[in-house]
Amino acid sequence: GGGVEVCGLFGWLLFDAAMDPERVGWSRLALRTLAHRGPDSEGEWIGPNLYMGHRRLRILDLTDAADQPFHEADGGHVFTFNGEIYNYVELGEELAATGVSFRTRSDTEVMLAALVRYGLPGLRRLDGMFAAALHDRATGRHSLMRDPLGQKPLYYHVGEAGVVYASELRALLSLPGFSWRLDRGAFHRYLMSGYYAWDETPVVGIRKLLPGCALVIEGRRTRLERYWDSRPGEETLRLSETEAVSEFQRLFDHSCRISMRTDVPYGVFLSGGIDSSLVLESCMRQTGGLTRSFCVAMGESDYDESGKAELVSRHLGVRQAFTFRMDQEAIGASLARFMGSNDEPHGDPGFVNASFLAQSCRPHVTVALAGDGGDELFAGYAPFAGLVGERWLTPMPRPLLQLMKAATALIPANDRYLGLQFKLRSYLQGFPATPATRFALWLATLPPERLARLCPGDQARAWGEGDVSGLFAYVERLMAPLAGGSGVQRLQYYYQKVFLPEFVAMHTDRAAMQVSLEVRAPFLSVPLIEFANRLPDGYKLRGGSLKWLLKEAARQRGLPEAIINQKKQGFTFPLARWLKGALRPEMEALLAPERDRDGLVEAREVARLKEEHLRGEANHYRILYHLMVFRRWREEFPGVESTGV
């Protein structure tokens, strides 16, 4: 804490045994696998049955007193923490008023004091991002916690002998004496979504701590407690449009202001979209024009957003606006680095862009602010517009749906960003299905019947017949409390709980951590999320227009109309096109049948998907890329055992 903290945690708690020298040695090696998250110092604390380790990146000239594991003055609690508490100044003053005295100026000590004073409900007073572990030496209670939206990662395994946890999967996979097995069911969901969602990982028995939750370990018992939740549609605010926009402006400026708390150089990731433009405008206004901006220019015009980004930075008078050119060569290098450093398969091509951007701007800044979260809070994704068609397609007889799906083949395929055939296919994929699984299917890589052909085994046959309940059971459970809500509310909740933590925040965290950069997202401030979720639907989606409130806010801030009314563009690169060209050798090599050591997919179907893509009959880049990423990951971690079919 105290300024920028880019860190990694590792911990091992034994139920009945003592922490012996051999396990301490293994723990130190596991901690070393996280060195990139915190290259400057390494701290550890060893209790009778516990190892707590921490890697730290020191950016401010802080005393060793703020190093971690951090000990309470009387030694009663030991604490490790990765992340940043933006409101630590205000919270520290509030605690000092109740008689707490502080030895450091770090957010680490403030967070610990809040937990000691208020218990787990103290987490609700924090505005920031974190993964943390707290050990109470008197009672032996050990608690793990993760921030409300899962911006910081935390993996854990509860076994017979104890609990191990770490900031990255690789640390757990490096431990000897554990036998890890591949999770086939989770692999199927990965192929469908392109990432491991909810609490799943590629490995049986290793879980991700859910956002807004704490895992409390007392004796041999563990319990998962949710300390924070915000559901769209709960207690709707009664505000006029003018009041809603001005309340947003106030909350947003405050969040940008406390996100800029650092004594090191910082800048804003500028995509040219409305969200990052709003962040940059707020920072520029509050720093008297002293904010830097960073954007990526692509060689391919239909993917290049740098013109929009340059328009915004010129309009706002940014004096240091950096643009980094990303061509096939740069992407090739980024892709290789990303695939080698990825400790959990993630099929989002935007990860490669994020990785390139983080590496390019790291020589200039140590903290970057990003527009993550704007789409999830204010209904910015294409499927929100698709809600309108739900009522026509839901009652439609199955044969007619099949006919419509078949007809999409008549539309010529193309490899532009979100071509027409691609959009229609994705949309129709959501029917027939329950409302909850429809969202998952809209965002899915390929229709369930195609997945059934790709994956061997009995389970897959049910998907071919349209039964995807087994595939998305967690979504049904998650969405149950919102059954009475509007489409907009349900879809927002799905994006906030499923897509945001493990798709969006995950690639931001990992890309930045590879180069020890900290990325902060002002939209993901707790008061702002709670505000957005209490707004009436019409303040987000109006007519067919997405993000109504943000557009109004941008107009009041004087941003150019060209930026306010643009079509949404994903942060990605022409992967579909390049798989036919520069990346084809890589694809051919990774998708060769002999590289599937686990018998997870049918080689004939992989060959068919690849041929259809290369001949331009269909755009299968997502599934091909997901398989490539998975195989590359598999070779990085050969110690994970295969599971029989």
Side-chain angles (χ1 to χ4, degrees), residues 113-162:
L115 287 166
V116 171
R117 179 147 199 108
Y118 304 117
L120 288 179
L123 293 168
R124 291 204 289 271
R125 294 170 182 257
L126 308 174
D127 195 354
M129 51 178 179
F130 54 86
L134 175 68
H135 185 68
D136 182 335
R137 293 178 64 177
T139 62
R141 184 196 301 131
H142 198 76
S143 313
L144 306 180
M145 44 220 114
R146 191 173 178 203
D147 64 64
L149 287 160
Q151 294 178 76
K152 288 289 165 194
L154 194 60
Y155 294 81
Y156 68 95
H157 164 73
V158 179
E160 279 297 293

Side-chain angles (χ1 to χ4, degrees), residues 180-202:
W180 302 120
R181 286 196 343 275
L182 204 60
D183 187 331
R184 283 183 105 86
F187 169 73
H188 295 145
R189 280 181 282 280
Y190 160 76
L191 283 186
M192 281 296 266
S193 308
Y195 61 107
Y196 284 83
W198 200 232
D199 64 348
E200 286 199 319
T201 74

Side-chain angles (χ1 to χ4, degrees), residues 51 60 75 231 303 390 443 446 512 522 540 551:
Y51 178 92
L60 288 183
R231 290 183 191 154
Y303 283 79
E390 263 192 316
L443 301 183
L446 73 176
K540 297 159 199 168
K551 290 175 181 172

Side-chain angles (χ1 to χ4, degrees), residues 50-337:
L50 173 66
Y51 178 92
M52 288 174 84
H54 188 264
R55 293 286 319 201
R56 176 158 179 229
L57 173 73
R58 253 191 235 175
I59 293 174
L60 288 183
D61 180 1
L62 277 174
T63 56
D64 296 347
D67 273 359
Q68 298 187 36
F70 190 86
H71 299 261
E72 212 184 347
D74 62 6
H77 291 85
V78 187
F79 184 59
T80 52
F81 151 66
N82 155 33
E84 194 63 41
I85 306 303
Y86 309 130
N87 64 338
Y88 77 101
V89 176
E90 294 82 353
L91 191 56
E93 287 167 0
E94 183 190 311
L95 287 160
T98 68
V100 178
S101 59
F102 291 100
R103 293 170 293 161
T104 66
R105 286 181 32 255
S106 72
D107 57 346
T108 308
E109 190 176 12
V110 171
M111 182 172 172
L112 172 59
L115 287 166
V116 171
R117 179 147 199 108
Y118 304 117
L120 288 179
L123 293 168
R124 291 204 289 271
R125 294 170 182 257
L126 308 174
D127 195 354
M129 51 178 179
F130 54 86
L134 175 68
H135 185 68
D136 182 335
R137 293 178 64 177
T139 62
R141 184 196 301 131
H142 198 76
S143 313
L144 306 180
M145 44 220 114
R146 191 173 178 203
D147 64 64
L149 287 160
Q151 294 178 76
K152 288 289 165 194
L154 194 60
Y155 294 81
Y156 68 95
H157 164 73
V158 179
E160 279 297 293
V163 179
V164 278
Y165 58 89
S167 293
E168 290 185 21
L169 192 58
R170 69 178 70 247
L172 301 182
L173 297 182
S174 75
L175 291 169
F178 285 81
S179 57
W180 302 120
R181 286 196 343 275
L182 204 60
D183 187 331
R184 283 183 105 86
F187 169 73
H188 295 145
R189 280 181 282 280
Y190 160 76
L191 283 186
M192 281 296 266
S193 308
Y195 61 107
Y196 284 83
W198 200 232
D199 64 348
E200 286 199 319
T201 74
V203 180
V204 176
I206 297 182
R207 287 271 168 258
K208 291 188 272 219
L209 183 57
L210 287 172
C213 288
L215 182 78
V216 182
I217 308 153
E218 294 190 85
R220 291 179 138 275
R221 288 207 311 277
T222 57
R223 67 173 189 277
L224 194 63
E225 278 187 27
R226 177 171 283 292
Y227 67 84
W228 180 88
D229 194 16
S230 169
R231 290 183 191 154
E234 277 185 327
E235 314 164 50
T236 307
L237 293 166
R238 286 187 172 70
L239 291 176
S240 71
E241 292 177 2
T242 318
E243 290 166 336
V245 176
S246 74
E247 179 60 0
F248 165 76
Q249 308 278 33
R250 186 186 71 77
L251 287 166
F252 183 68
D253 280 336
H254 175 73
S255 185
C256 289
R257 185 166 67 253
I258 63 175
S259 299
M260 290 188 286
R261 276 184 178 160
T262 166
D263 299 349
V264 293
Y266 69 91
V268 173
F269 282 171
L270 184 62
S271 69
I274 189 168
D275 306 338
S276 59
S277 302
L278 282 167
V279 173
L280 181 60
E281 191 280 336
S282 182
C283 294
M284 282 293 285
R285 196 160 25 81
Q286 300 189 63
T287 56
L290 295 176
T291 304
R292 301 161 198 208
S293 68
F294 300 94
C295 80
V296 171
M298 301 289 290
E300 321 252 338
S301 60
D302 55 335
Y303 283 79
D304 184 27
E305 289 201 287
S306 62
K308 290 188 280 193
E310 281 156 13
L311 169 69
V312 174
S313 51
R314 265 202 318 278
H315 176 82
L316 294 172
V318 176
R319 291 202 279 279
Q320 287 184 286
F322 298 84
T323 302
F324 305 110
R325 280 201 70 73
M326 191 168 181
D327 50 21
Q328 291 212 11
E329 210 175 337
I331 288 209
S334 274
L335 189 63
R337 193 175 69 248

